[in-house]
Amino acid sequence: MSPVVPVPAPVTARPAQPYVRVRDLERDLTARVDGEVRFDPGSRGAYSTDGSNYRQVPLGVVVPRTVEAAAEAIAVCREHGAPVTSRGGGTSLAGQTCNVAVVIDWSKYCDRLVSVDAGARTCVVEPGIVLDVLNARLAPTGLMFGPRPSTHSQCTLGGMIGNNSCGSTAQAYGKTADNVSRLEVLTYDGTRMWVGATDDEEYARILAGGGRRAEIYRELREIVAADAGEIRRRFPDIPRRVSGYNIDQLLPGGDFHLARALVGSEGTLVAVLRAELHLVPAPAAESLVLLGYHDIIAAADAVPRIAAHRPLQLEGVDDKLIDYERRKGMHPDAVKRLPEGGGWLMVSFGAGSQREADERARALTDDLGGTEHEPHVAFFDDERTEKQLWELRESGLGATARVPGMHETWEGWEDSAVPPERLGGYLRDLRGLLEEYGYGAASLYGHFGQGCVHTRIPFDLVTADGIAAFTSFLGRAADLVVSYGGSLSGEHGDGQARGWLLPRMFGDTVMAVFGRVKAVFDPDDRMNPGKIVAPYRVDENLRLGTGWTPADPRVHFGYPEDDGSFQRAVMRCVGVGQCRRHDGGVMCPSYRATREEEHSTRGRARLLFEMLGGHADSPVGDGWRSEAVRDALDLCLACKGCKHDCPMNVDMATYKAEFLSHHYARRLRPAAHYSMGWLPLWARLAAFAPRTVNALTHGPGTAALLKRLGGVDPARSLPVFAGARFSDRYRRRGPRGSGERGPVLLWPDTFTDNFAPRIGHAAVDVLEEAGYRVLVPPRTLCCGLTWISTGQLGVARRVLRRTVRALTPLLRRGVPIVALEPSCASVFRDDAAGLFPHDRDVSRLAEQTRTLAELLTGTEGWEPPRIGGTAVSQPHCHHHSVLGYDTDRRLLERAGVRLDVVGGCCGLAGDFGFTAGHHEVSMACAEQELLPAVRAAGPDTLVLADGFSCRTQLEQAGTGRRALHLAEVLAAAGRDRAEGTRAGATRADGSGTRADQAGADATRAGTDGTPPVRDGR
Ligand SMILES: Cc1cc2nc3c(=O)[nH]c(=O)nc-3n(C[C@H](O)[C@H](O)[C@H](O)COP(=O)(O)OP(=O)(O)OC[C@H]3O[C@@H](n4cnc5c(N)ncnc54)[C@H](O)[C@@H]3O)c2cc1C
Ligand code: SF4
Ligand code: SF4
């Protein structure tokens, strides 16, 4: 049936895109939009893809400062006929946010929480606000936004509205559409309006108002009413129908809820300027039950009975996913807690009190006892364990994306959904289909309580045959899910991945309705064209594809986990976007400081991908010489946070070193590379006349000049060389003590040796007291760190080779190497093996390198002296990413210290914070966690930091506090112990030891027997 009054013809095919004069467009946007307008190769490359298999290079990017500015940007685009694509966190998995369009990035500035009405349980937000940020701000009201995708720490509300996002808590709270009350929207033609539920009175008022708004309402009503029967028949009544436009919200007899109808329209109909959201009370307590079944299908069969208990979350995980997590060493503690089985359900209950939540969980386990498939049960009600287990589930995509020894996996059939009561049957058939196509390695997991299944599939997206199989599989899988009364997408949206398959689910009539709805809002198809309606084919615009011919250049590092290939290493990034998180872990300090895609791990990985020239339209055309890539890497602190925190272990610090090496090959480098990159050499020379050098580097006339010549930021003060190097003094002194536990080599790194020899001496005291015979190398050696971080890899290799040769006799005797500076320990443990992947002595070096805490806690019978009191500790980033900090934490706790461990990065990171132009970002990183924590610390609280950079940052940030190395507090407390100073002699809690005094006022150090802070003793 067709509408009775004239309505626009449906958009069914993509019209030819108008010729856009890109330079003129850029000029007008720059002139009229309050925001950042970027048409440079770096920005276009960074925004060319999202979490999907697709890639399209945008015309340019606009980052508006306000929603008004965004509206102006759309007006300018309209005048030029340019398509527009909205973007939040860019975590879409179906290609929704890549397009040949002007990308509007709402996430940087348009992220305000406009208002909260706690009584009405609503709030108004701008679209760029991140879900976790919103919920953190709402926390004092006890309310939260209910739906919670796995990407909660980086996805935006605009993106959630765009995709109609769900996540595990949708079990209790429904999809985003169910939680949106009103939207302020803007159409391509400039119509701006608030929309929401529309009763007859309101409808009449809108029509009486006339104009474009009335036209939109009238046409939509006509279009949907005309085919209401077919819409009702074709829209499956399941909890997770996300595919298609939500035209069921506009059916006669309902609320005519235009806001909810627009949720899930993926930026193809309107831009969302503001949203009024429904909030729910945040559960005060939660309990988690894990149920182990024979396999995932048995687990799926059990879903309806469990769902009847109305859990908060009901998730499924199969044995393959767990196997992949095990193989990748992910979440080892959580994996151990799974009950016996080959398929698991995770069921959580929320309530006002822990007792109530526990009772609900017990009611479930009682109910399941004695059933046909009685599961193995494990029950948890402590927050830490529950968090670990949810992380295990939420990292499903990362765990399955690249498994060692397995073909890479891809999205494509990521989130199909069926009626929950038919889930077991669907999984049986889907597994059969996967096997038939040779995709049997795909794991199956997801939001089982709502029938939604996640999987990444080992598609071949490079060869013609592989892509034909991919396309054919998607067709068959679509038919299968439809035969079960399901939806192609149950969570992530259609985008390009499903748009082409939608007719199989909805049929021609409903597809024509979608086309008409599109025509009502955007008849010329300028809003995110090619997605949902009139879509691109599933095999167009592939990120790889048959035309993809990337370079695989000869490189310096070995990339052993990427088959020795830099190109494969760069491809690790799958676009999850965790590097855009605002807190937790370390990754990615430069994104947190700048909020720029280009300065996130993902943005950098994208640009390196583009740089390898796999696609003819790549905006990065000049390979290793690319300035766009260099600029994106410039603010990378080489903290290696990503190597640990990224689910794909992207190691941007290594890629940066590799890039810089090629970029500057046979060319003049920035001054900082010669000054700070060659620091070990300059320090060696300075040791001949340290006082003179200090006078020059800090002299009123000379300091500024030297900093300018050395590419050092003028706001920085150069470190002071000690009067005597640790290694020189120690060589003169020689080993003492019993040495009964045998030799250790104490590594005199450049920083300890030249700037903080007191730490070396303290370490000697501690090691000798523990019974070790301390050795230092007979001559000055170096790990090569400063050359690695500045990409002078030829020199770094020579330096490191020389060091390994000198240490070889000790290494072959199994002598442990104690490294006091975490970044040097990290070179020995990690980078060295990358530079010399097949060298046995380098492997020995990696295996035998210990931090002080590791050596001491592994020493049988060694007990730490009592330190007591409280301490704020900043682990070095390389503790976080390579070495681990748990051993230090346990040691300090055994020594009676109440420890507050600060997360994040100090922001100095070797040469980074010293380099001219980096000061602002460096300080912004420090302000994220370290500086507030230290400022808040009481005067008696110790401040601990093993990294020279972290200590220097604190010293130069004007906190008035000096941080101590673990060696210093242990040495001071050890002397107390030796002298019989009784713990608690100065304070009732036993914190008044000498170590504690050293921390409380390090500037007084040296007067009471603790080592002086600045100079060597
Ligand atoms: C590892 C992984 C796990 C995921 N898990 C889940 C999950 O559990 N549940 C779930 O639902 N999804 C999940 N997703 C998909 C995705 O993260 C979510 O859909 C998320 O809500 C998207 O938010 P975003 O800010 O990244 O949006 P984007 O990807 O930037 O955009 C999403 C859509 O919204 C549109 N849009 C953005 N802002 C606006 C605006 N102001 N006006 C109009 N349109 C706009 C965009 O054009 C696009 O079509 C997952 C993705 C990944 C990579
Ligand atoms: S770098 Fe890692 S965390 Fe960031 S998007 Fe890529 S895969 Fe995700
Ligand atoms: S090394 Fe650090 S700064 Fe660089 S991309 Fe990784 S997390 Fe970000």
Side-chain angles (χ1 to χ4, degrees):
M1 198 177 148
S2 295
V4 288
V5 295
V7 291
V11 174
T12 50
R14 257 172 305 124
Q17 288 300 327
Y19 176 71
V20 179
R21 290 180 182 280
V22 178
R23 291 290 145 240
D24 295 350
L25 173 65
E26 180 186 2
R27 184 201 58 220
D28 291 350
L29 286 168
T30 309
R32 285 170 47 190
V33 175
D34 175 17
E36 295 157 22
V37 175
R38 313 221 195 100
F39 281 58
D40 57 288
S43 302
R44 293 173 65 229
Y47 284 84
S48 59
T49 181
D50 44 23
S52 71
N53 295 337
Y54 300 100
R55 170 189 170 278
Q56 285 178 283
V57 181
L59 299 174
V61 179
V62 176
V63 188
R65 250 180 259 284
T66 60
V67 292
E68 276 64 35
E72 183 64 13
I74 292 172
V76 175
C77 289
R78 180 173 65 245
E79 286 162 26
H80 287 264
V84 172
T85 292
S86 283
R87 179 162 164 138
T91 63
S92 285
L93 283 158
Q96 290 94 318
T97 66
C98 34
N99 223 322
V100 184
V102 173
V103 169
I104 299 189
D105 181 346
W106 300 84
S107 67
K108 184 170 177 184
Y109 300 115
C110 299
D111 63 346
R112 293 169 193 89
L113 170 57
V114 179
S115 62
V116 184
D117 184 340
R121 291 188 179 168
T122 58
C123 70
V124 175
V125 297
E126 291 181 350
I129 192 165
V130 164
L131 177 60
D132 274 2
V133 173
L134 170 65
N135 282 337
R137 291 199 196 148
L138 290 172
T141 65
L143 299 170
M144 64 176 200
F145 187 67
R148 189 170 185 267
S150 303
T151 45
H152 48 89
S153 53
Q154 65 266 27
C155 71
T156 63
L157 262 297
M160 290 180 70
I161 292 166
N163 284 351
N164 195 7
S165 298
C166 316
S168 55
T169 56
Q171 182 79 30
Y173 306 121
K175 302 181 293 248
T176 296
D178 305 316
N179 293 275
V180 163
S181 152
R182 295 190 308 141
L183 294 177
E184 188 188 12
V185 298
L186 177 74
T187 59
Y188 191 73
D189 66 13
T191 308
R192 188 168 166 171
M193 55 189 171
W194 277 95
V195 297
T198 325
D199 59 22
D200 287 346
E201 230 173 86
E202 168 81 353
Y203 182 73
R205 226 180 0 254
I206 291 168
L207 250 50
R212 179 79 176 110
R213 185 178 193 208
E215 195 177 278
I216 290 172
Y217 273 73
R218 184 186 58 76
E219 287 176 358
L220 287 174
R221 193 141 159 163
E222 290 291 340
I223 289 166
V224 174
D227 287 305
E230 183 64 357
I231 295 169
R232 287 201 172 94
R233 206 173 69 74
R234 282 291 192 161
F235 267 60
D237 185 15
I238 57 172
R240 287 299 189 98
R241 196 272 313 148
V242 167
S243 279
Y245 290 139
N246 290 342
I247 48 174
D248 53 339
Q249 296 284 346
L250 306 178
L251 282 166
D255 287 344
F256 200 80
H257 205 308
L258 187 46
R260 293 183 179 172
L262 288 170
V263 172
S265 59
E266 302 180 6
T268 62
L269 302 179
V270 293
V272 175
L273 305 181
R274 289 186 187 86
E276 185 179 83
L277 310 173
H278 280 305
L279 304 173
V280 295
E286 283 182 34
S287 302
L288 174 63
V289 182
L290 293 193
L291 304 171
Y293 291 87
H294 176 262
D295 59 22
I296 193 65
I297 293 169
D301 286 338
V303 159
R305 189 172 186 130
I306 298 166
H309 287 257
R310 293 179 298 106
L312 182 61
Q313 300 167 93
L314 171 42
E315 303 283 295
V317 174
D318 75 353
D319 53 346
K320 289 195 168 71
L321 176 68
I322 299 305
D323 177 36
Y324 301 156
E325 295 216 2
R326 263 199 201 104
R327 284 203 230 170
K328 295 175 83 171
M330 295 169 76
H331 313 297
D333 294 340
V335 168
K336 273 189 235 142
R337 290 174 182 273
L338 291 173
E340 200 179 309
W344 294 268
L345 293 177
M346 301 174 64
V347 195
S348 79
F349 291 93
S353 72
Q354 194 60 58
R355 212 174 112 211
E356 198 190 330
D358 292 354
E359 271 167 14
R360 293 190 62 199
R362 281 209 190 89
L364 169 73
T365 51
D366 290 349
D367 183 31
L368 295 178
T371 54
E372 191 192 348
H373 299 293
E374 187 176 341
H376 295 275
V377 178
F379 173 83
F380 307 94
D381 67 358
D382 71 290
E383 218 174 291
R384 188 157 168 262
T385 313
E386 286 178 35
K387 187 164 172 282
Q388 285 175 347
L389 285 158
W390 284 120
E391 279 170 3
L392 171 146
R393 158 63 192 88
E394 286 179 354
S395 53
L397 190 149
T400 54
R402 198 190 275 188
V403 182
M406 233 180 79
H407 196 292
E408 257 164 273
T409 61
W410 300 96
E411 63 89 4
W413 197 245
E414 257 274 349
D415 61 321
S416 54
V418 294
E421 59 281 7
R422 302 189 69 188
L423 183 62
Y426 173 62
L427 288 187
R428 255 176 227 109
D429 288 348
L430 180 60
R431 195 121 314 287
L433 189 64
L434 288 164
E435 297 287 351
E436 184 187 325
Y437 276 79
Y439 301 145
S443 118
L444 299 172
Y445 60 98
H447 312 294
F448 280 20
Q450 296 201 308
C452 179
V453 183
H454 289 322
T455 180
R456 277 179 80 90
I457 299 176
F459 295 124
D460 163 4
L461 295 179
V462 178
T463 68
D465 282 353
I467 292 169
F470 159 75
T471 311
S472 154
F473 171 85
L474 291 183
R476 294 273 303 278
D479 290 342
L480 177 67
V481 85
V482 171
S483 76
Y484 271 89
S487 174
L488 310 185
S489 169
E491 181 160 276
H492 299 157
D494 296 323
Q496 178 168 352
R498 249 81 59 168
W500 188 63
L501 298 164
L502 287 178
R504 293 173 191 250
M505 176 175 167
F506 290 109
D508 293 342
T509 306
V510 174
M511 288 309 296
V513 175
F514 289 162
R516 285 197 187 95
V517 169
K518 170 80 173 170
V520 168
F521 288 97
D522 179 29
D524 297 328
D525 200 8
R526 296 287 181 272
M527 299 289 276
N528 211 7
K531 319 287 160 162
I532 306 185
V533 289
Y536 291 104
R537 288 173 51 91
V538 285
D539 53 3
E540 274 179 279
N541 309 321
L542 287 170
R543 197 197 290 197
L544 305 186
T546 53
W548 180 59
T549 51
D552 201 356
R554 279 172 62 99
V555 281
H556 296 279
F557 285 96
Y559 306 101
E561 275 141 27
D562 299 297
D563 305 329
S565 159
F566 181 68
Q567 177 255 309
R568 258 182 76 72
V570 164
M571 291 264 298
R572 277 181 173 266
C573 173
V574 290
V576 175
Q578 269 184 38
C579 44
R580 291 175 52 105
R581 276 190 313 194
H582 291 219
D583 54 20
V586 168
M587 170 179 75
C588 168
S590 54
Y591 173 75
R592 289 182 192 177
T594 62
R595 304 276 297 276
E596 293 282 341
E597 177 71 18
E598 208 177 326
H599 298 303
S600 69
T601 318
R602 179 174 74 179
R604 295 178 178 122
R606 293 282 180 262
L607 284 180
L608 288 166
F609 173 87
E610 292 294 323
M611 183 196 83
L612 293 176
H615 292 282
D617 65 346
S618 171
V620 182
D622 36 3
W624 291 119
R625 291 280 146 119
S626 165
E627 292 182 8
V629 179
R630 185 202 58 200
D631 292 349
L633 288 169
D634 181 50
L635 291 188
C636 168
L637 291 92
C639 66
K640 286 187 186 273
C642 43
K643 187 179 168 90
H644 181 271
D645 295 348
C646 160
M648 300 304 296
N649 307 110
V650 167
D651 182 4
M652 195 52 68
T654 300
Y655 312 161
K656 177 181 179 181
E658 187 77 62
F659 173 83
L660 290 178
S661 164
H662 297 273
H663 184 75
Y664 289 113
R666 294 176 297 283
R667 286 206 296 178
L668 197 62
R669 288 169 164 270
H673 289 201
Y674 299 108
S675 58
M676 289 175 273
W678 286 75
L679 177 69
L681 181 73
W682 308 135
R684 180 77 196 91
L685 297 174
F688 292 110
R691 283 178 213 290
T692 314
V693 174
N694 288 337
L696 285 171
T697 52
H698 293 82
T702 47
L705 178 68
L706 283 172
K707 282 193 264 181
R708 206 168 61 241
L709 289 175
V712 174
D713 199 284
R716 288 283 170 196
S717 159
L718 292 171
V720 177
F721 287 96
R725 296 196 309 170
F726 157 70
S727 55
D728 293 337
R729 281 205 165 195
Y730 185 74
R731 281 187 206 108
R732 284 200 291 279
R733 168 200 186 261
R736 290 184 192 157
S738 67
E740 70 216 11
R741 292 192 195 270
V744 291
L745 182 106
L746 183 58
W747 177 251
D749 62 87
T750 300
F751 309 98
T752 305
D753 207 23
N754 295 280
F755 302 115
R758 66 182 188 280
I759 293 172
H761 295 297
V764 170
D765 292 349
V766 174
L767 291 169
E768 286 183 344
E769 211 243 345
Y772 287 101
R773 180 181 164 78
V774 178
L775 309 177
V776 297
R779 60 175 192 278
T780 304
L781 297 173
C782 178
C783 69
L785 169 73
T786 57
W787 286 286
I788 294 174
S789 63
T790 51
Q792 304 184 70
L793 297 180
V795 190
R797 280 174 71 96
R798 284 197 292 283
V799 168
L800 203 46
R801 188 179 288 121
R802 181 170 168 268
T803 295
V804 173
R805 281 210 192 110
L807 298 185
T808 294
L810 292 178
L811 291 171
R812 292 187 183 175
R813 276 168 50 206
V815 173
I817 315 287
V818 176
L820 299 171
E821 170 57 41
S823 49
C824 303
S826 156
V827 171
F828 286 164
R829 285 255 186 99
D830 185 41
D831 305 83
L835 286 170
F836 298 98
H838 307 296
D839 188 312
R840 288 240 174 249
D841 289 318
V842 171
S843 309
R844 289 187 183 100
L845 177 64
E847 281 156 22
Q848 288 167 223
T849 297
R850 309 261 187 286
T851 63
L852 185 62
E854 285 168 347
L855 184 89
L856 293 172
T857 51
T859 302
E860 215 185 311
W862 182 83
E863 271 306 316
R866 176 155 180 87
I867 299 170
T870 53
V872 169
S873 170
Q874 165 77 66
H876 190 281
C877 293
H878 295 175
H879 270 130
H880 180 79
S881 55
V882 178
L883 309 169
Y885 193 68
D886 276 356
T887 321
D888 295 65
R889 186 200 298 261
R890 281 197 297 271
L891 187 158
L892 285 160
E893 282 168 1
R894 266 167 66 196
V897 178
R898 290 191 302 282
L899 199 59
D900 173 14
V901 178
V902 179
C905 172
C906 76
L908 197 79
D911 58 286
F912 178 84
F914 275 102
T915 301
H918 289 177
H919 188 254
E920 199 183 326
V921 170
S922 170
M923 296 315 296
C925 294
E927 285 295 350
Q928 281 159 17
E929 297 199 40
L930 174 62
L931 296 182
V934 170
R935 283 190 204 110
D940 288 345
T941 299
L942 283 170
V943 180
L944 301 178
D946 283 0
F948 176 72
S949 296
C950 316
R951 292 193 302 273
T952 307
Q953 184 75 309
L954 272 172
E955 199 175 310
Q956 299 199 356
T959 57
R961 301 299 301 266
R962 295 267 184 81
L964 298 175
H965 192 283
L966 175 69
E968 292 176 280
V969 286
L970 286 177
R975 278 194 295 277
D976 285 344
R977 181 163 66 179
E979 289 166 13
T981 308
R982 293 164 63 85
T986 52
R987 269 211 308 274
D989 66 355
S991 58
T993 61
R994 194 188 307 230
D996 188 62
Q997 288 165 24
D1001 186 359
T1003 50
R1004 274 194 287 116
T1007 59
D1008 61 353
T1010 51
V1013 166
R1014 200 172 273 267
D1015 285 317
R1017 61 182 179 186

